[in-house]
Amino acid sequence: MSSQFHGVIPPVVTPRHPDGSIDTASLTNLTKHLLDGGVDGLFVLGSSAEVPYMTNAERDLVVSTIAEANNAAGDARVPLIVGANEQTTNRVIEEAKRVIDLGAEAIVVTSMYYAIGNVQETETHYRAIHEAIDKPIFAYDVPVRTHFKLPTDLLVKLGKEGVIAGVKDSSGDDVSFRQLLLAAKDVPNFDIFTGHEVVVDGALLGGAQGVVPGLGNVDPRGYKNLYEAAQAGDWAKAAAEQDRLADVFEIVYTPNGRVSGGAAGLGAFKTALQVMGIIESNTMSTPMLSLNAEETAAIKGILQRNGLV
Amino acid sequence: MSSQFHGVIPPVVTPRHPDGSIDTASLTNLTKHLLDGGVDGLFVLGSSAEVPYMTNAERDLVVSTIAEANNAAGDARVPLIVGANEQTTNRVIEEAKRVIDLGAEAIVVTSMYYAIGNVQETETHYRAIHEAIDKPIFAYDVPVRTHFKLPTDLLVKLGKEGVIAGVKDSSGDDVSFRQLLLAAKDVPNFDIFTGHEVVVDGALLGGAQGVVPGLGNVDPRGYKNLYEAAQAGDWAKAAAEQDRLADVFEIVYTPNGRVSGGAAGLGAFKTALQVMGIIESNTMSTPMLSLNAEETAAIKGILQRNGLV
Amino acid sequence: MSSQFHGVIPPVVTPRHPDGSIDTASLTNLTKHLLDGGVDGLFVLGSSAEVPYMTNAERDLVVSTIAEANNAAGDARVPLIVGANEQTTNRVIEEAKRVIDLGAEAIVVTSMYYAIGNVQETETHYRAIHEAIDKPIFAYDVPVRTHFKLPTDLLVKLGKEGVIAGVKDSSGDDVSFRQLLLAAKDVPNFDIFTGHEVVVDGALLGGAQGVVPGLGNVDPRGYKNLYEAAQAGDWAKAAAEQDRLADVFEIVYTPNGRVSGGAAGLGAFKTALQVMGIIESNTMSTPMLSLNAEETAAIKGILQRNGLV
Amino acid sequence: MSSQFHGVIPPVVTPRHPDGSIDTASLTNLTKHLLDGGVDGLFVLGSSAEVPYMTNAERDLVVSTIAEANNAAGDARVPLIVGANEQTTNRVIEEAKRVIDLGAEAIVVTSMYYAIGNVQETETHYRAIHEAIDKPIFAYDVPVRTHFKLPTDLLVKLGKEGVIAGVKDSSGDDVSFRQLLLAAKDVPNFDIFTGHEVVVDGALLGGAQGVVPGLGNVDPRGYKNLYEAAQAGDWAKAAAEQDRLADVFEIVYTPNGRVSGGAAGLGAFKTALQVMGIIESNTMSTPMLSLNAEETAAIKGILQRNGLV
């Protein structure tokens, strides 16, 4: 099947200075780190970017900074897939237009949130956005945030009609994910990504086109190796690489209840990048707490035992 | 106890023209209808206003339209309490500043949504907003939308310190509501409102200062009568009025599964107002469906049996 | 409307010896305490009895012990309403027959649990049980345990047809509770009870026939006073008594996270009864932890400030 | 690592006569069908058996019938792993002793349900059961029914201490499943099974010891082929077989909302077995509806296109 987007497409985290402002130098450096790691695309303004916590001005700055670093990469340049994170249809359209102007080559859109919709409204939502913009749209299935699971039937229907160009799945529902892969396998230019870091081998075995791992910020090369092993049909190697990456993923469990679940996971990625010297500070967006020295030491230990520092 | 805001404070719905644009003439007329009904305040940009579905430009237009109609009412003018509906702290602050500039006398703020926070982050959230603006803040407890129940202890603590000026409770949890009323009864200038239309008598019996009923758009005088009966200690009369209003509330159940839950309730209020000649169209925000002729007829029947048309 | 069961009907807790066996002497004493407190019925084998944790032999022993103490009370004897706590239809029927043989005058039945049903199956469930036994059946709406909210329409329909004789509501949904009261107000011999301790005044104001408060084990007279004030139309007195009881209810919050939520609430009732000298031990059913000395001291303080010890 | 139980261990469905009684002849025939299909064990009294809907007498009859058919199979005899489906600790122990007397070689136990526990109580629950019986215990993680996710840390701890002998995972959480596989990979005689029909290839790739697929009633040989391909490291073949089985699994979606979700899935398995001539009737336990002629025809079509009839 023809495919527009595939491979390893990490959701780029957003470095901040200790005063809370966006650290564009670190963001540029992180973008280079990812491109050097062989990634196939960049997922910008995703949950891992702390996009819910950014003002619109900050969102614009992040997209333009990454776009500039990506454009400077010459042949290593990769597609930018950018989240248009807003709660309802018309607000998404405004957001999408803004990020497209800044360089987005595809848009990622959740179902509505805070607003309480249903299947029919969700279909109207995606159709209206598709009519309003001229870039490919990925449906982002993230019920832990939206509290609405995108139905497989709807996704396949919208894919066949060209309303959406694929799905980023963070549903945590591997059964429906496999059924989506099967139901969509004959749909051209419909690319399905998993957002879950530790089940990538199984997702690729089932036919997924790509992977959007937050942990890919820390170890892009590891995910690339996993992806290439899968492409080569060497599943034992893919599983071994996955197991190694699952051990690296243990960094997200180092903050034992001190910070919120969101701050723990994203904070761990940032802290690892700080330990690795790729970004300057592990500062989190308000009101999230940043990880402390003890948690940083635990993360460093995990990175060391996996040869990442 | 001293109180800043109390009584009947309906959340004003947002009339739209059939083409989807805001119908400012109908909104002005609705505002007059509410002031004529004896309301004690206006709750602007609440869920009943379909605020999640509005662009920022639309939000501004709604606030300024209501503010103008309210200011034109002379002695009948009432306080404007305005929702600052955004998903995280810094975005709320931007939103709050905008609506304060347009006339908001108090701000209503939920816990974060889409973002996944915890109690400590929620406390920081309210404190940061309080530091950034100089108007009273109501915490809006609406877990069906935010998926986070505001803890009673936190609300009382923030109330005692003056960080928040009260609570609008749409939690659907009458046990915690009563416990909040008891725990806060000695906190000055801390006003607690229920957002539930059919349990207002019990809420006032328990000590609530006010009520924010969506149905109050349709029958503001009924809620005023209920409130005044309660103030006079005539609880049998209050309960009888509540029972009558609960029958009027049956309008929200007329759309039997054809539209989403949100569209059913808000659509019923708009349709009733249309039937009553107060607004021109019952058009809903995209992507919600509007109620149809059959549903309108059912609503008209309920209004008739309650003497509202 | 005619009514079969009404008033204060506390769910009797189950005293255990420190070795875990049922303490029938304490249970007899507790039954006397409740009858002395003027209760109008006894709710046996409810959640407050820790019924889920009892073997069938223990359930039988508890019903027969309470029945004997109740029968010995002469004119003070009250009806026994007994839970038939099982997960599916045929298992409920077996359980119901057993407790009816031991003296149950009415049966309390939840929707199915662990099994995942729907509305139609729930209707069949109640109809099948009604056909199999010849005692009145109360539907017990407790979605926090069953994860299924009994629909108001279904309850009213089953009530009108005589399949069920009433509802014990522990749904935590005061809006649907009020709507049930309204919808059922003309149904004869259909009695609606609230299971929530701190909103009894509002429930009675709305027309509830009875109350099943776990806290009624500790202060049966207080609930009786509240009920009688409501019957007399003295709502200010009812609300004041409710506020006092809500303060007594603070005992359930003394175990600050050390034990499970279930063990905290039921453990607090047992501990209060132990402090008051009505039962010998506050031992909980396996695997729940019993409250400790520190928690007992805190509970004693709350009882003292409310004049209960 | 040493392993006690592994491979394909289908959860045997329970045939009923049209009058609702257990059809032991069909159950014997089904058992033979599974043994002929090369299964490595039989999972008795699981959710797929409709165990929640059975009386204790029915449960006993089912275990003894399967045990007899299994014992009659000579060299083809496989281990019996039997569910002890009860809501709390002491009730589980009674249930476990009964099924062990009837031939259970291992026991499957969920966390408590209806009762609302926590992690500490769950640990006590498993330890108490382990002390009371002398057969291996599998923890059954099925939060869709128990509404409690068994924590990975607890499972690994109990596994290392020999309190539990493994886990049957129906959590729908593939991330935690992979983390459990990794965390437990060095624990001897700790066997981990997935209960999800369509992600078996990924589960085995990640290191799972076994699979408990309801669909294995219908196509035991298919799952055996998948398992053997995985054992041989032929992952492409495993994935292809998985995709074929996922297509067979479409039978569970033929009842389009007419029956409950539980009745749809289990009813589809029974209906397929009826179409295949292995059991006589597709009758479901009260109060579940059985699938009708139209749904049967749709299922037959799916079986035909997969060569199963």
Side-chain angles (χ1 to χ4, degrees), chain A residues 52-56 59 85-89 91 94 113-115 118 120-121 145 147 260 288-289, chain B residues 52-56 59 85-89 91 94 113-115 118 120-121 145 147 260 287-289:
Chain A
Y53 303 88
M54 287 184 203
T55 63
N56 285 358
R59 292 179 181 187
N85 179 236
E86 263 291 356
Q87 58 189 355
T88 49
T89 313
R91 294 178 71 88
E94 286 191 353
Y113 51 86
Y114 190 84
N118 61 8
Q120 176 266 318
E121 289 180 2
R145 292 179 180 276
H147 302 276
S260 69
M288 291 187 286
L289 293 175
Chain B
Y53 303 89
M54 286 184 204
T55 63
N56 284 0
R59 293 178 180 188
N85 177 236
E86 264 292 356
Q87 59 188 355
T88 49
T89 313
R91 295 179 70 88
E94 287 192 353
Y113 51 86
Y114 190 85
N118 61 8
Q120 176 265 320
E121 288 181 3
R145 292 179 179 277
H147 302 275
S260 70
M288 291 187 285
L289 293 174

Side-chain angles (χ1 to χ4, degrees), chain C residues 187-207:
Chain C
V187 182
N189 288 321
F190 189 75
D191 298 314
I192 300 172
F193 307 155
T194 180
H196 294 296
E197 280 87 354
V198 304
V199 292
V200 172
D201 53 352
L204 295 173
L205 182 63

Side-chain angles (χ1 to χ4, degrees), chain D residues 42 192 200:
Chain D
L42 294 168
I192 300 172
V200 172

Side-chain angles (χ1 to χ4, degrees), chain A residues 54-104:
Chain A
M54 287 184 203
T55 63
N56 285 358
E58 289 177 334
R59 292 179 181 187
D60 291 355
L61 179 59
V62 163
V63 178
S64 57
T65 301
I66 294 174
E68 189 175 341
N70 186 41
N71 289 333
D75 289 352
R77 193 195 176 285
V78 296
L80 290 197
I81 303 176
V82 184
N85 179 236
E86 263 291 356
Q87 58 189 355
T88 49
T89 313
N90 286 336
R91 294 178 71 88
V92 169
I93 290 170
E94 286 191 353
E95 188 82 1
K97 287 182 173 171
R98 244 180 45 244
V99 297
I100 289 170
D101 285 348
L102 294 168

Side-chain angles (χ1 to χ4, degrees), chain A residues 5 57 59-60 67 81 89 118 173 181 221 235 251 286 291:
Chain A
F5 301 94
R59 292 179 181 187
D60 291 355
I81 303 176
T89 313
N118 61 8
D173 183 338
L181 289 171
R221 180 59 64 189
W235 294 103
I251 61 174
T286 298
L291 301 198

Side-chain angles (χ1 to χ4, degrees), chain D residues 101-131:
Chain D
D101 285 346
L102 295 168
E105 286 152 88
I107 296 299
V108 184
V109 176
T110 68
S111 63
M112 297 190 293
Y113 52 86
Y114 190 85
I116 302 170
N118 62 7
V119 175
Q120 175 266 319
E121 289 181 3
T122 303
E123 178 170 347
T124 303
H125 174 70
Y126 281 108
R127 290 188 185 281
I129 297 164
H130 173 63
E131 281 169 31

Side-chain angles (χ1 to χ4, degrees), chain D residues 108-184:
Chain D
V108 184
V109 176
T110 68
S111 63
M112 297 190 293
Y113 52 86
Y114 190 85
I116 302 170
N118 62 7
V119 175
Q120 175 266 319
E121 289 181 3
T122 303
E123 178 170 347
T124 303
H125 174 70
Y126 281 108
R127 290 188 185 281
I129 297 164
H130 173 63
E131 281 169 31
I133 68 168
D134 59 0
K135 294 288 182 186
I137 298 168
F138 278 80
Y140 183 12
D141 194 13
V142 60
V144 72
R145 293 179 179 276
T146 61
H147 302 276
F148 182 84
K149 174 83 183 72
L150 291 172
T152 301
D153 286 356
L154 176 60
L155 293 171
V156 174
K157 177 184 179 187
L158 293 175
K160 284 181 176 168
E161 297 185 27
V163 175
I164 61 174
V167 176
K168 189 213 158 185
D169 180 273
S170 295
S171 70
D173 183 338
D174 59 338
V175 171
S176 77
F177 184 71
R178 183 63 167 259
Q179 290 170 325
L180 175 64
L181 288 170
L182 271 173

